[in-house]
Amino acid sequence: MNNRDIPERPQPNARRRILLCISNERPHLVTHALYGLATASEPWIPHDIVAITTSRGASEIERRLVRHARLRTLCQHLRLPQTAQPKLRSVVVNDVPSRVQTAAAHRRELSDCILREVRHVTDQVDTELCVMLGAHGPALETFVAGHTLSLLARPQDRLAQAMVSDADAQSDFFYPDTMANTAGRVSVLEIPFARVERVASMRELVAQSDYGTLCHGLDGHAHLRVSHSFRGLNFRFSNAFDIRCDSSHRVPGPRIEPRAAALYALYAQRARDNAGFLRDDELLDKPEAYLSFYDACLVGGRVKSSDAAAPSLSRAALGVARSRIGRALSVLVQSGASYRDYRIHKQGGACAYGLALAPEQILFAA
């Protein structure tokens, strides 16, 4: 490889590029990652580098990359002008003590730290994130980083691994100091992963949870998210399917008509508020809450229920709406156990209807 193969400056891009390195106590990952990304067939040069590390690792990064100027020297080696050299920041997770109890606390803190940093970057619309793993990194960091990115990644975000030879991994090797014989010494391996943010709407859950609570809450529990979107009311479930009301014409996927969507949302709201099941005669006597959801289903509320499009409320109409919800769920939810979680339940002689989900399983977003 010749010097002319290295880009002299970052490729133009409207987004700010963030490189997140799970570096543990090895500052080498930072230089391996930067070198591998900069010399790839499609160079990707970050504006900022964030290294998640221990206090000892942060000291090593400061001593070896900053004071010994290895990072600056690498940038010069890559022919990056001063204005294009990435800014480096360390995020410190406490070192693992010898006691098992505190080691468990360290694992929780590390997981929460990775979650916070990934969420911070992906919450910004003008960013592009690359999470970089080391070739010989600890299994915990590798799993949590990949899992967190899978939950929150946008289309422009990526997961990669910095690859070096076994001999280089065991030595004090930061980057090739000559352009001769560099083949195979440092490379970046792209890691494919599933992005679930769009179908599971994880961001609202993540904003309210630490990593452990998030994983526990998703394990074996149904979660329903109801959101008032601009084009209608969406119902989003944690097991990766959506039901969208008919007014959301420009989005693909199964839909139910607005009156059925509004009824399901009303039952969900009552379950969240511990208001109990609802009889049809109660709803018909005081339909205001139902009509507010119906408004939200009509193109984001731009059509009101007082207009000609207002639903014809009757016991028969409510029965038809429940039937349509049931048919949609039976198609979408293949598991019998999950279907029982989501379906509309009836209380015996009272002819009252509602959802059997627990309040903490239902999230409403404005």
Side-chain angles (χ1 to χ4, degrees):
M1 183 181 295
N2 299 318
N3 277 358
R4 61 177 178 273
D5 294 321
I6 302 293
E8 295 189 11
R9 58 186 59 82
Q11 299 302 301
N13 193 318
R15 301 189 186 104
R16 188 165 188 85
R17 295 180 295 279
I18 314 295
L19 171 62
L20 178 63
C21 295
I22 317 299
S23 65
N24 198 24
E25 294 187 351
R26 281 183 60 81
H28 306 70
L29 177 58
V30 173
T31 51
H32 293 168
L34 179 58
Y35 184 91
L37 291 168
T39 58
S41 57
E42 296 183 6
W44 191 93
I45 301 174
H47 297 89
D48 299 281
I49 300 175
V50 179
I52 295 181
T53 184
T54 62
S55 57
R56 178 181 173 185
S59 297
E60 286 294 289
I61 288 174
E62 173 65 22
R63 181 175 70 87
R64 310 190 76 179
L65 298 188
V66 180
R67 292 206 304 268
H68 290 181
R70 280 192 172 91
L71 183 59
R72 185 173 71 248
T73 304
L74 172 58
C75 290
Q76 294 169 349
H77 181 66
L78 295 173
R79 298 170 58 193
L80 295 179
Q82 182 70 31
T83 54
Q85 295 181 12
K87 299 178 177 63
L88 175 62
R89 174 172 65 94
S90 294
V91 177
V92 176
V93 179
N94 290 335
D95 298 323
V96 183
S98 57
R99 295 179 57 190
V100 174
Q101 293 89 339
T102 11
H106 167 77
R107 290 194 295 271
R108 288 194 298 271
E109 184 179 348
L110 174 64
S111 301
D112 292 345
C113 181
I114 294 173
L115 181 66
R116 283 194 305 271
E117 291 299 320
V118 172
R119 183 180 65 207
H120 173 71
V121 176
T122 58
D123 276 345
Q124 303 172 57
V125 296
D126 60 344
T127 59
E128 184 175 333
L129 174 65
C130 177
V131 174
M132 185 66 65
L133 309 173
H136 302 278
L140 174 66
E141 286 91 327
T142 300
F143 172 79
V144 172
H147 184 215
T148 302
L149 196 61
S150 181
L151 295 178
L152 295 176
R154 305 152 302 174
Q156 67 265 32
D157 300 324
R158 56 200 286 207
L159 179 66
Q161 188 173 37
M163 306 297 293
V164 296
S165 67
D166 289 339
D168 288 333
Q170 301 302 320
S171 67
D172 203 29
F173 169 74
F174 283 87
Y175 58 87
D177 55 6
T178 174
M179 300 310 294
N181 300 320
T182 61
R185 294 200 70 181
V186 179
S187 60
V188 168
L189 174 67
E190 293 286 334
I191 302 175
F193 64 94
R195 292 168 171 82
V196 301
E197 156 64 12
R198 289 186 173 184
V199 292
S201 297
M202 305 306 305
R203 195 165 298 279
E204 284 75 18
L205 290 174
V206 169
Q208 303 173 41
S209 306
D210 57 36
Y211 184 80
T213 302
L214 171 67
C215 293
H216 177 73
L218 294 177
D219 185 16
H221 296 282
H223 282 80
L224 166 66
R225 174 179 178 266
V226 183
S227 67
H228 294 70
S229 71
F230 180 73
R231 294 192 304 275
L233 193 76
N234 296 347
F235 302 91
R236 298 195 172 194
F237 301 83
S238 63
N239 64 338
F241 66 84
D242 293 358
I243 299 180
R244 306 177 190 267
C245 76
D246 272 338
S247 60
S248 300
H249 291 300
R250 289 193 288 172
V251 290
R255 304 184 181 101
I256 54 178
E257 66 168 2
R259 75 184 66 198
L263 185 61
Y264 196 77
L266 177 62
Y267 291 148
Q269 183 187 58
R270 291 180 64 87
R272 183 201 61 180
D273 297 341
N274 276 318
F277 282 28
L278 179 67
R279 300 196 311 272
D280 284 352
D281 57 354
E282 292 180 273
L283 192 160
L284 295 171
D285 185 50
K286 295 182 178 181
E288 292 80 13
Y290 170 79
L291 292 176
S292 69
F293 281 118
Y294 183 77
D295 289 344
C297 290
L298 294 174
V299 197
R302 289 186 294 169
V303 179
K304 296 298 181 182
S305 55
S306 58
D307 296 338
S312 175
L313 284 179
S314 66
R315 292 180 186 275
L318 294 175
V320 169
R322 283 190 290 267
S323 176
R324 288 175 174 171
I325 293 169
R327 286 199 299 271
L329 287 175
S330 65
V331 171
L332 290 170
V333 187
Q334 301 301 316
S335 164
S338 294
Y339 175 74
R340 286 191 294 274
D341 284 333
Y342 293 122
R343 72 179 177 88
I344 297 174
H345 292 257
K346 178 181 177 182
Q347 279 185 342
C351 290
Y353 300 89
L355 301 184
L357 296 173
E360 62 271 15
Q361 293 174 263
I362 300 171
L363 300 170
F364 274 74

